[in-house]
Amino acid sequence: MPPYGDLLDEETAKRISLSTWAKLLPFLKPLTGRLVAVALLMVLSAAVDALIPMFTRYAVNSFVVPQTTEGLPAFTVFYIAVILFQAVTTVLYSRQSMVIEMNLGKHMKELCFTHLQKLPVSFYNSTSVGYILARIMSDTNRIGGVIAWVGSMFCFQFFYLIGMLIAMFYINVRMALIVLAIIPAFFLVTAFFQPRLLKANHAMRLANSRIISSYNENITGAKTSKTLAIEDKNCAEFDRITVEMYKSSLMEIRLNAVFLPIITFVGSMAVALVLYYSGVNVMAGILDFGMLSAFIAYAIAILDPLSHIGRFVSEVMSAQVNIERVTSLLEQPCDLSDPPEIEAVYGDVFQPKEENWPKITGAIEFQHVWFRYPDAPEDDYVLKDISVNIPAGSTVALVGETGAGKSTFVNLACRFFEPTAGKILIDGTDYKERSQLWLHRNLGYVQQSPHLFSGTLRDNLLYGKLDATEEEIHKAARLSYVDVLAEKLENGFDTDVGEGGDRLSTGEKQLVSFARAIIADPPIFVLDEATSSIDTETERLIQDTISNVLAGRTSFIIAHRLSTIRNADLILLVEGHSITEAGSHEELMAQEGKYYRLYKTMMIMDESEQTGFKLE
């Protein structure tokens, strides 16, 4: 989880911020009718609840004291009707609140997921999956619950309190003032405990968020943990997080264990004062027994709404953290986005206007391109002053040490990032004057560590072209030798590949990824160590296929094996974040520079591979 998340939680939980809650208004607007319905139901229910002690007063004075049953049947029927009315309002309120909670959570999750589709690669490079999951799942659920249930209960308790105060002052002003005398003591106790309860609750939720993040990282990185044998370290770290959760939960329990009895004691004091004052006055004949019973009921009940209102303030302050987390994700700026005038012509990722897309031939030109990551220092450039012209249909190989900037060069060409300075032209036009989707739909990208989606082998091939025919699927499979893989699987192309393709080896996933790129028939191809996990024999088999597939297409190859470099039309040596040598294999060998020495080293390594010896 990014460090700023913890700081955001601490700052947001310190005070009630109307501007933070105002961010929910767009989400609540479609639910306005249901929210109004819940509020009206709560007002009606609160008014009836506030009158219940008055029924008790009437029953005592009309039936208990005079010891008569005259009029009791009619009163019983009326009282049952009131209880049924309360039951009906409770059912209606619960149904509406559940719909509000589910719809609000669903809407926020959908918007978060949609926004995540728009965010650039740089966001995912700097944000953990666990942090994103906690925002989308836990926080949206929490917001839905607070709005649907806590908000409606506040409405009920507030009007219930107002109703009881009106009823008490109507019956007897002096006794009402006696009951109200305990309210300052209640607020003093609440003012002392609520901030501490809020802090413990906040720490508990923060620890829960870290637990979710830890679960995600350890599940997705299970294989790495096994190979590094760091299970004990993982358990120790997880134990530390769960201890934090345990301590904060225990602190909240201990505080409540003291707070609730004190509140009960304050309420009991109110009842005792009412009993003393009213008992004396009943014996003197000033008050009747019905009034006594009503005031005892009010004295007992009045602390409940006060307590709920106090907890509501804590819930509001706590929920602000969840709102800030979700809205900060939704407000996360797209560092790489098309301006409105471009979207108006070419559409966006959800509503593409493909009829306006110009055909790509694949000529790419870098003009004095500089690049650094958005959060990097100003002088920390990954690529510096890159100028290179790549004719359409050329095969470009990039070589150089790890971290030199080869993948960054390709990512810039594919517009996964944009230059910090300089321009990149595609077919003579700055690619910022076209939509991102236009370029990405014309790319075939095979990664070193390819990702497969949950589903069947056929499903994953269709991601390359959703409307592909069976003939196109089998043709791409033959070209990439995926048909051989399918024959080995129990259900052929309909075999489930598992989550992330975990039921296949890395080499098999590379073959599927290659077939997925072929089926799209793109004019620009990228092979980023695309055969690094394929055995040498299989690689030899598909080399001719690669040559045939790449013919006539602009292609970028990042590889260490000579077979995929030597025949390239243009070889770029990336060194020190710049291109230091460029030309064909023969031209660079004639220069006897860094590429010449690198090639000689690679040739020795390739020969040792072929003879079964490993170069140390």
Side-chain angles (χ1 to χ4, degrees), residues 119-251:
L119 292 176
V121 174
S122 57
F123 171 78
Y124 296 96
N125 287 345
S126 60
T127 310
S128 73
V129 176
Y131 178 84
I132 298 172
L133 284 177
R135 301 295 77 78
I136 295 178
M137 301 306 296
S138 299
D139 290 336
T140 56
N141 289 340
R142 167 80 173 145
I143 294 168
V146 167
I147 294 296
W149 301 102
V150 178
S152 57
M153 284 307 298
F154 170 76
C155 181
F156 171 82
Q157 298 294 347
F158 177 77
F159 286 103
Y160 182 37
L161 177 62
I162 297 299
M164 285 194 294
L165 291 174
I166 293 172
M168 284 191 293
F169 276 99
Y170 172 76
I171 295 173
N172 189 292
V173 174
R174 187 170 294 180
M175 288 182 64
L177 292 173
I178 290 174
V179 174
L180 290 179
I182 59 97
I183 292 181
F186 169 82
F187 279 117
L188 284 174
V189 173
T190 302
F192 177 81
F193 279 96
Q194 285 298 334
R196 290 163 176 79
L197 282 167
L198 178 64
K199 185 176 180 181
N201 182 268
H202 164 64
M204 187 171 64
R205 293 185 184 282
L206 191 59
N208 182 63
S209 179
R210 288 172 175 159
I211 286 173
I212 293 174
S213 180
S214 180
Y215 260 117
N216 175 76
E217 289 184 0
N218 279 279
I219 291 171
T220 56
K223 187 174 181 180
T224 303
S225 295
K226 293 289 184 184
T227 56
L228 295 175
I230 56 172
E231 292 91 343
D232 56 340
K233 179 183 178 299
N234 291 341
C235 287
E237 177 63 20
F238 189 76
D239 184 60
R240 184 186 67 79
I241 299 172
T242 52
V243 166
E244 288 180 9
M245 180 78 168
Y246 168 78
K247 288 180 178 178
S248 56
S249 301
L250 190 62
M251 177 59 70

Side-chain angles (χ1 to χ4, degrees), residues 257-327:
V258 178
F259 174 60
L260 295 178
I262 292 176
I263 291 298
T264 303
F265 174 76
V266 172
S268 300
M269 289 297 295
V271 175
L273 288 171
V274 168
L275 280 172
Y276 173 78
Y277 178 81
S278 58
V280 170
N281 283 277
V282 167
M283 295 300 294
I286 299 173
L287 298 176
D288 55 55
F289 280 101
M291 189 180 295
L292 172 63
S293 63
F295 259 96
I296 290 174
Y298 283 128
I300 294 172
I302 197 169
L303 286 182
D304 190 50
L306 288 173
S307 179
H308 272 88
I309 291 171
R311 283 199 294 271
F312 172 77
V313 174
S314 297
E315 292 282 358
V316 166
M317 294 173 69
S318 177
Q320 280 181 181
V321 174
N322 306 105
I323 296 171
E324 279 291 353
R325 287 172 173 174
V326 173
T327 54

Side-chain angles (χ1 to χ4, degrees), residues 543-571:
Q543 279 307 316
D544 290 338
T545 298
I546 291 177
S547 300
N548 292 332
V549 169
L550 298 187
R553 308 174 196 267
T554 303
S555 55
F556 296 92
I557 299 174
I558 302 175
H560 296 303
R561 290 178 178 171
L562 300 179
S563 54
T564 51
I565 294 175
R566 189 164 41 201
N567 297 325
D569 299 308
L570 177 64
I571 299 172

Side-chain angles (χ1 to χ4, degrees), residues 361-362 388-399 523 525 546-557 562-573 581-589 591 595:
T361 60
V388 61
N389 186 21
I390 302 167
S394 301
T395 298
V396 180
L398 291 101
V399 297
F525 240 97
I546 291 177
S547 300
N548 292 332
V549 169
L550 298 187
R553 308 174 196 267
T554 303
S555 55
F556 296 92
I557 299 174
L562 300 179
S563 54
T564 51
I565 294 175
R566 189 164 41 201
N567 297 325
D569 299 308
L570 177 64
I571 299 172
L572 303 177
L573 176 64
E581 296 181 24
S584 65
H585 172 72
E586 291 74 16
E587 291 170 343
L588 295 181
M589 289 298 289
Q591 294 177 15
Y595 175 80

